Amino acid sequence: MALTALALLGVGGLAGCDSGPKGPGAITLTAEGPSLGGVVLEVEGPGIRSFTARGSARVYSATVAGRQGVHRVVMIDPEPGSMALDVQVDDLGMEGPLVRVVSAANGDNEAIRRSLVTIRSER
């Protein structure tokens, strides 16, 4: 009897384990840098559907020819600072997406070093 109860507890514990959300949804990417006014990103991953800006930011995107699952994304914001966008994906359980900063500019449209821009990802 005690062994059966322990076995049931073990199975119940394993069933409660979850590796995170799955299915369609949005991953939020936030770009931060000194007076960041615009950034060009390369976003790569399977099942990426679309990009939607948050707040006062604007976003433009296109797939990169000849590179499956790779998107070039331009995000600009008239209010320099951090900016965010939602990436609509087929499966929130996917790995990634991989995000690379291609170029960035401050609010005066002056180039800033890519290394000064950080990208955070939240599911």
Side-chain angles (χ1 to χ4, degrees):
M1 180 80 159
L3 288 176
T4 303
L6 283 174
L8 287 175
L9 281 174
V11 170
L14 287 175
C17 292
D18 188 4
S19 62
K22 300 220 182 334
I27 298 170
T28 301
L29 299 179
T30 303
E32 297 175 332
S35 295
L36 190 61
V39 64
V40 178
L41 304 173
E42 196 168 85
V43 182
E44 179 177 0
I48 294 174
R49 294 181 181 181
S50 64
F51 302 89
T52 306
R54 294 179 137 214
S56 59
R58 299 288 176 255
V59 67
Y60 308 92
S61 66
T63 56
V64 176
R67 296 180 63 199
Q68 187 174 5
V70 179
H71 303 263
R72 189 61 57 100
V73 180
V74 177
M75 189 168 38
I76 56 173
D77 197 330
E79 300 173 19
S82 68
M83 55 184 79
L85 63 89
D86 289 330
V87 181
Q88 296 296 325
V89 296
D90 288 337
D91 186 5
L92 287 170
M94 70 183 268
E95 287 235 0
L98 300 174
V99 181
R100 184 176 72 86
V101 177
V102 176
S103 63
N106 64 21
D108 293 325
N109 203 28
E110 299 168 334
I112 57 176
R113 289 195 329 256
R114 295 179 302 188
S115 62
L116 296 177
V117 179
T118 57
I119 305 294
R120 281 187 295 118
S121 175
E122 297 176 39
R123 291 179 194 261

